[in-house]
Amino acid sequence: MTRRAWFPGVFSIAIAVPLPLIWALVYFSPFGSPFGLAVPAASFAPVLAAAILQAAVAAWALDSEDARRLGLRLSLFAVVALGAPVAAGMFLHPDFFSAVFMAIIQGLCLGLYRGELVYGTRPCSPARSGFHRFGLAASILFTGWICLMGYALATRSEPRWMESLIYNVYNALLAAALFYTTLRTVGNAKRTVSASKASFTVDGLDFGPVIGPVACEIAGMLLSSGTGAGCAEIRRRLHGEPCVCDFEDRPGFCADYSTIYNAVIKIRRLVEALRIGTVEDAVDAPSGNRMKWRFLPAEGVETS
C-alpha cells in the first residue's frame, strides 16, 4: 500500500476536473470565443454530480482486490466517464465531447496502474510484457495527438483556441500519468529468491543445476541467516561435524574451506548477475581471523 498511497487520491481528484472545467469555460466564456452556446446555471449541479461520481468510481477501481473486481469497476467507470460527457455534449455544449477522449486515457491509466492484479507479481511474464507494450504504444500515440493539437493551436486553426489550450494542458498531465503507470508495470515487480538442498529458485526459475547441490544448500543457510554463516557452521550443517582445518581463511590450505569458498563464489556471481543482491565477506567475530559470509538482498527482493 505504501508505494501507491499517493496516486489514488491525487488521480481521482484529477479525474473530477474536466467536466466542471468545461462547464465553467462554456458558461462564463472568459475569452469571447466563437460558437458559444448559453448553458443554464442550473446545469452545473448535474455536471458536478457526474464528475464526483466519476472520481468515486475511479477510486473504487483503484481499491480493487482482484482482477474480477477490477474488470467490473473499470466497466462501471467506462459507463459513467463516457456517458456523462456524451450526454452533456448532446444537451449542453459540444465542448463536453472533449472529455470523452480524456476519459479513455483516464481508464487506461487506471487499468495499467492496477495491472498487477492481472499479470501478477512475477517480473517476467507475457501478460506483464503485454501491458507494458500496450501502455508504451498508447503513451506515444497520445503524446503525438497532443503535439498535433499544439500545432493547431499555434497556427490558430482551432477557433476556440484558448479553451483548447487549457484542455491540452490537462491532456499533457494525463500523458504524464499514462507514462508513469506504463513504467510502473515494469517497476512494481516483486522479486523472490529461495533455496533448498537441491534448488536455488529466483523469480520462479530454478538455477540449482547451474551451481550444484552443495552451493544450493549453502545458499539456503545464507538466506535464512541474517547475520551470516562461517566455514565451521556450514561444515557442521552439511556433514554434521565441524571444520578441522587450521587455515580456514586460506582456501588453498584447506579442502573443506576450499569447497565451501568456491560454492560461495558461485552463489555470489549468480545473485549479482541476476541483480538480486550480493554475498558479503566478513570476519567471524569469535575467531577473529576466519571468514564468514552474509547474503545482502537488493531492494524489493524477498527471501524465503
Side-chain angles (χ1 to χ4, degrees):
M1 291 295 294
T2 303
R3 285 189 298 172
R4 62 185 182 94
W6 68 272
F7 188 86
V10 173
F11 193 66
S12 297
I13 293 173
I15 281 177
V17 169
L19 292 180
L21 175 64
I22 294 173
W23 186 92
L25 291 176
V26 170
Y27 181 79
F28 294 105
S29 189
F31 308 112
S33 301
F35 310 116
L37 297 175
V39 296
S43 63
F44 181 71
V47 168
L48 181 61
I52 294 174
L53 178 61
Q54 185 177 342
V57 175
W60 194 35
L62 288 170
D63 198 41
S64 300
E65 299 174 354
D66 53 58
R68 178 178 174 275
R69 293 180 185 179
L70 177 64
L72 292 174
R73 294 173 187 180
L74 285 179
S75 298
L76 179 59
F77 175 81
V79 172
V80 175
L82 296 177
V86 168
M90 293 175 60
F91 297 106
L92 293 178
H93 194 279
D95 271 18
F96 283 99
F97 286 121
S98 300
V100 172
F101 301 99
M102 299 174 186
I104 293 173
I105 303 302
Q106 291 168 355
L108 290 179
C109 291
L110 295 176
L112 288 169
Y113 190 78
R114 294 314 313 274
E116 72 270 11
L117 296 176
V118 178
Y119 53 70
T121 58
R122 289 186 58 183
C124 301
S125 68
R128 181 186 290 273
S129 298
F131 268 73
H132 179 69
R133 291 171 182 171
F134 176 79
L136 190 60
S139 299
I140 295 173
L141 290 175
F142 187 52
T143 302
W145 184 77
I146 292 175
C147 292
L148 290 176
M149 285 297 298
Y151 176 78
L153 294 173
T155 58
R156 299 294 192 273
S157 58
E158 170 62 47
R160 294 174 58 80
W161 69 274
M162 280 300 298
E163 288 85 350
S164 296
L165 177 61
I166 295 175
Y167 303 154
N168 222 33
V169 170
Y170 180 83
N171 284 333
L173 296 176
L174 275 183
L178 186 57
F179 271 111
Y180 168 73
T181 53
T182 298
L183 293 176
R184 190 176 179 276
T185 59
V186 294
N188 67 342
K190 293 181 181 179
R191 307 202 65 187
T192 60
V193 55
S194 62
S196 63
K197 291 184 177 180
S199 67
F200 184 76
T201 305
V202 179
D203 301 331
L205 300 176
D206 186 10
F207 292 89
V210 177
I211 61 176
V214 174
C216 288
E217 195 163 357
I218 294 175
M221 299 178 200
L222 298 180
L223 293 180
S224 61
S225 175
T227 58
C231 178
E233 179 184 351
I234 293 174
R235 172 72 178 174
R236 186 180 299 110
R237 293 182 61 178
L238 286 175
H239 303 289
E241 57 186 25
C243 181
V244 297
C245 294
D246 294 328
F247 303 96
E248 292 186 66
D249 56 333
R250 300 180 66 183
F253 289 86
C254 176
D256 287 342
Y257 187 93
S258 180
T259 300
I260 295 172
Y261 179 85
N262 290 334
V264 170
I265 293 299
K266 286 183 183 179
I267 298 169
R268 175 185 294 159
R269 289 174 178 171
L270 180 61
V271 298
E272 290 181 350
L274 297 175
R275 298 183 179 180
I276 58 172
T278 188
V279 177
E280 180 186 54
D281 292 334
V283 176
D284 195 352
S287 66
N289 65 343
R290 298 174 182 176
M291 294 299 296
K292 65 183 299 185
W293 303 276
R294 182 164 64 103
F295 175 68
L296 297 177
E299 184 179 358
V301 175
E302 297 179 354
T303 62
S304 60

